[in-house]
Amino acid sequence: MYLAILAAMGLSWFVQNRLRSKFKKYSGTPISSNLTGREIAEKMLSDNGIYDVKVISVNGQLTDHYNPAKKTVKTEK
C-alpha cells in the first residue's frame, strides 16, 4: 500500500517537473502572429461560430482554462 502511494507521488513529482521545464523552455518563444492569448482565444471562438463564451485575461502561469458552467475562457495576460 505504501509503495503504491510512494510510486504515485514520485510519478506526480516527475510529471509536474517535466511540465514546468517545458513551459519554461517555450514560454519565451514569440509567436509569429504577435497576437495575445486573449486575441487567439477570441479568434478561435469566432472562427468556429461560438459567440456565447466570454474570454477573460488573468494573471499567472498555466492558468488558462474553460469553465463550462460560466461559459468563460481564462487566458494569461
Side-chain angles (χ1 to χ4, degrees):
M1 169 93 169
Y2 291 114
L3 185 57
I5 293 171
L6 188 60
M9 288 174 58
L11 180 61
S12 175
W13 176 84
F14 173 77
V15 170
Q16 182 178 19
N17 282 328
R18 183 94 169 145
L19 178 62
R20 282 187 184 159
S21 171
K22 292 295 181 184
F23 181 77
K24 184 177 179 182
K25 178 179 179 180
Y26 293 108
S27 66
T29 305
I31 58 172
S32 61
S33 66
N34 291 322
L35 296 174
T36 65
R38 180 187 185 110
E39 293 168 332
I40 292 170
E42 288 171 343
K43 180 167 176 19
M44 288 173 60
L45 291 168
S46 176
D47 288 352
N48 289 286
I50 302 170
Y51 301 103
D52 61 342
V53 175
K54 184 177 179 182
V55 179
I56 302 169
S57 295
V58 295
N59 291 322
Q61 294 180 335
L62 301 176
T63 55
D64 302 10
H65 72 278
Y66 172 66
N67 183 336
K70 295 182 179 181
K71 290 197 170 189
T72 58
V73 173
K74 292 189 177 179
T75 65
E76 295 176 22
K77 288 186 177 179

